[in-house]
Amino acid sequence: MDRRRAIAALGATLGASLACVPAQAGVAARMRLVTAHLPPLVLEHGGARPGALMELVNELCQRMQLAPQTRFVPWRRAIFLATTLPATAIFPLTRQPAREAQYRWLAPLYDEHYVFTAPHSSRFDIRHPLDMKARRIALLRGAGQAAILKELGYGNLVEAASIDEVHRFLLKGIADAAFGEYNIIRASLRSRGEEADFALSPPVRSTTAWLAGSLDFGTDDVQEFQRTMAAITADGSSRRILAKYGLGSPEKAP
């Protein structure tokens, strides 16, 4: 089965599951979630610890009395599904001008900080990343970081299907450095016991990751999601969930 058929088959499966819920129930009630394995933010097989943003989205849905199914797919496919299928939400999605009209922005989830990382043996000078624009930079395929890098003048981008593949590209010399979210990079290195072998740059760009929905979500849906998220933030639940996973900021990195 080729890639297009595989995506079409997945879309048909998700669409069939949506058909089981009456249309009059509203878009939010029929919502399905798509995401990718992005530890420590989202874990596909995390069990009782499904990741900080998975817990946060679960809390949001529970308070709204929603019970969406979640499908884990490669990130580029998640983007495709959220912009193609009805009643589909995606997270964590970086909000950028080029994406503004493609989604309904349902709820802000997390302040993300983008950094470079490179092995100490790399030709990439992590202390002066703006002088390294000719170097090969690995990043997750379909991620919003590509637009950030291009805006900054980096043109030699090497896209990977997963965080694991990004890491392999660095170890094999296919890329000189990687660019990604600080806590995702740190978790990847820690899980391999390789923090001492890599250096991280100061933050290059800070943005917000959102829960975003397909365009059939209405204004009332958006307002309800954002009201509920504001309540989760106000009562400290958001802070407690993020702290549970020990998420830090680059400014506090050693």
Side-chain angles (χ1 to χ4, degrees):
M1 182 180 292
D2 63 24
R3 180 174 175 275
R4 288 185 180 180
R5 286 186 178 180
I7 292 176
L10 178 57
T13 300
L14 291 176
S17 65
L18 288 174
C20 297
V21 182
Q24 61 268 27
V27 175
R30 297 181 291 117
M31 178 177 71
R32 296 295 182 269
L33 296 170
V34 291
T35 188
H37 181 65
L38 299 168
L41 306 182
V42 187
L43 281 70
E44 184 171 4
H45 302 293
R49 288 179 62 86
L53 299 191
M54 187 77 253
E55 285 201 30
L56 190 54
V57 170
N58 286 343
E59 177 70 16
L60 179 63
C61 291
Q62 182 178 352
R63 294 195 188 194
M64 293 179 64
Q65 299 183 343
L66 304 175
Q69 296 179 358
T70 301
R71 184 68 182 256
F72 287 85
V73 295
W75 185 248
R76 189 171 183 176
R77 191 179 304 173
I79 292 283
F80 172 82
L81 294 173
T83 53
T84 305
L85 298 180
T88 303
I90 182 174
F91 74 99
L93 190 69
T94 300
R95 190 167 184 172
Q96 297 175 328
R99 289 175 168 171
E100 193 67 25
Q102 296 178 311
Y103 301 92
R104 300 292 185 221
W105 299 93
L106 302 178
L109 300 176
Y110 170 71
D111 292 332
E112 51 191 4
H113 306 281
Y114 288 113
V115 300
F116 288 99
T117 186
H120 291 302
S121 59
S122 173
R123 297 180 298 168
F124 190 96
D125 185 350
I126 207 75
R127 297 165 300 175
H128 303 97
L130 294 180
D131 295 333
M132 299 286 107
K133 293 179 181 179
R135 298 299 183 193
R136 298 162 299 173
I137 312 298
L139 71 163
L140 194 63
R141 184 176 297 124
Q145 294 98 290
I148 295 173
L149 288 170
K150 290 176 182 177
E151 178 187 330
L152 293 172
Y154 296 87
N156 199 353
L157 308 185
V158 183
E159 293 191 322
S162 66
I163 299 300
D164 287 342
E165 191 169 67
V166 168
H167 191 73
R168 287 198 299 272
F169 285 175
L170 291 176
L171 294 182
K172 292 182 178 181
I174 297 172
D176 300 305
F179 186 68
E181 205 283 318
Y182 169 72
N183 283 297
I184 293 176
I185 289 177
R186 188 175 64 161
S188 177
L189 296 177
R190 281 185 171 178
S191 70
R192 297 171 169 85
E194 296 180 359
E195 277 190 290
D197 300 327
F198 286 77
L200 275 69
S201 76
V204 174
R205 184 69 58 87
S206 296
T207 61
T208 301
W210 284 67
L211 173 68
S214 49
L215 292 176
D216 53 336
F217 283 85
T219 302
D220 290 346
D221 294 314
V222 173
Q223 291 177 347
E224 185 59 26
F225 272 104
Q226 295 194 8
R227 277 196 297 266
T228 306
M229 190 68 236
I232 290 172
T233 300
D235 68 18
S237 296
S238 176
R239 183 179 64 254
R240 286 193 294 271
I241 290 171
L242 297 180
K244 176 180 174 180
Y245 288 84
L247 300 186
S249 67
E251 293 79 7
K252 297 179 181 179

